[in-house]
Amino acid sequence: MIADCTQPQTEPFPRRKQRSLPAELAHAINQAGRLRMLSQRMAKLHTLRLLGINEDSLLNQSVALFENSLNELMRKSPSSQIYAHFTALTEAWPAFRDAALNAGSVPELRTLAELDETVLRHAQQAVDALVQHAGNPIAAQISLYGRQRMLAQRITKLYLYQACGVCERECDTAMAQARQDFETCLQTAEVAVFAPYANSVLLLEHDLWAAFTSALDHFVPDRNDRIGLQSIHKLSEQLLEITDISTALQHPTHKVSL
């Protein structure tokens, strides 16, 4: 079952409380936020393979990045509560990893859909706990921008599920929610004042989002429409790249890395 587990459980902190955010904590929030994205990206790439479009190198890269990031976050958890969230994620991860890497079949895709939602939920809870621990508006901004990376991948995953004829009604609702959430992120996002070129990045993100949504509206999910499938996938990867940059701009110590 596809549920809405993408929404953060914490409210953004007011700007009057802003203070310096330690670089290590900023990095942890960015890393944990990337786990959200990777859960959706791996499900997307697995489904692409079922539809005859092979992106195994990206899938293997995503699996390795997820495992390395999760291991590092476990070692450096700043509290027992946050450690518990990463422990839950570690326990849910192997079943999803194995399903994503398995050749699989369309009838088995519903199982993968349930597993990826579980991994996403635990990753979101870990991000929420880190943001709450930081108690800092910069932390909330990193989470906000980072969630856009996940949403672009999630929307594409749902589109591909529909092309496979899996979870179609659930996908309609979840996709509408994800698109609305991305729009809200764009409307409420604040440009980092220390980055003189941040406005250009944000404008490019708006342009890519417009192209992405136009393609979603133009191409009806169809497993035989390779042009449509590849167009949606490629645009989601471009959106991932630009939203990773906009996330990095929220803290001057960040390094861009998908």
Side-chain angles (χ1 to χ4, degrees), residues 175-243:
M175 187 181 292
Q177 179 60 55
R179 288 179 64 162
Q180 181 182 351
D181 192 18
F182 198 106
E183 292 279 1
T184 300
C185 287
L186 282 179
Q187 292 167 9
T188 59
E190 297 177 28
V191 176
V193 296
F194 54 80
Y197 53 90
N199 275 315
S200 297
V201 172
L202 199 56
L203 285 172
L204 179 55
E205 185 178 331
H206 276 272
D207 289 344
L208 281 172
W209 173 246
F212 183 56
T213 55
S214 176
L216 288 169
D217 294 336
H218 177 76
F219 294 110
V220 176
D222 181 349
R223 65 179 304 132
N224 298 312
D225 182 8
R226 292 183 65 87
I227 293 176
L229 297 173
Q230 290 179 322
S231 296
I232 300 297
H233 164 54
K234 295 301 182 184
L235 284 166
S236 75
E237 289 296 304
Q238 291 172 8
L239 258 179
L240 171 56
E241 183 176 358
I242 196 64
T243 51

Side-chain angles (χ1 to χ4, degrees), residues 29-48:
I29 295 167
N30 189 27
Q31 258 194 323
R34 189 175 290 120
L35 295 182
R36 298 176 297 190
M37 176 276 291
L38 288 168
S39 72
Q40 304 305 284
R41 191 188 199 199
M42 287 181 278
K44 177 193 79 169
L45 295 171
H46 173 91
T47 311
L48 270 178

Side-chain angles (χ1 to χ4, degrees), residues 142-160:
I142 294 170
S143 175
L144 172 71
Y145 276 83
R147 197 162 82 255
Q148 293 178 89
R149 298 178 296 196
M150 177 273 291
L151 289 168
Q153 298 299 302
R154 179 174 178 78
I155 292 166
T156 307
K157 175 203 77 173
L158 294 169
Y159 175 91
L160 296 175

Side-chain angles (χ1 to χ4, degrees), residues 2 47 50 105-114 157-172 223:
I2 295 177
T47 311
L50 292 181
S105 65
V106 171
E108 296 172 321
L109 194 54
R110 181 174 286 274
T111 298
L112 180 77
E114 293 174 354
K157 175 203 77 173
L158 294 169
Y159 175 91
L160 296 175
Y161 283 178
Q162 289 177 313
C164 286
V166 174
C167 310
E168 290 179 273
R169 289 186 179 179
E170 296 166 279
C171 287
D172 276 339
R223 65 179 304 132

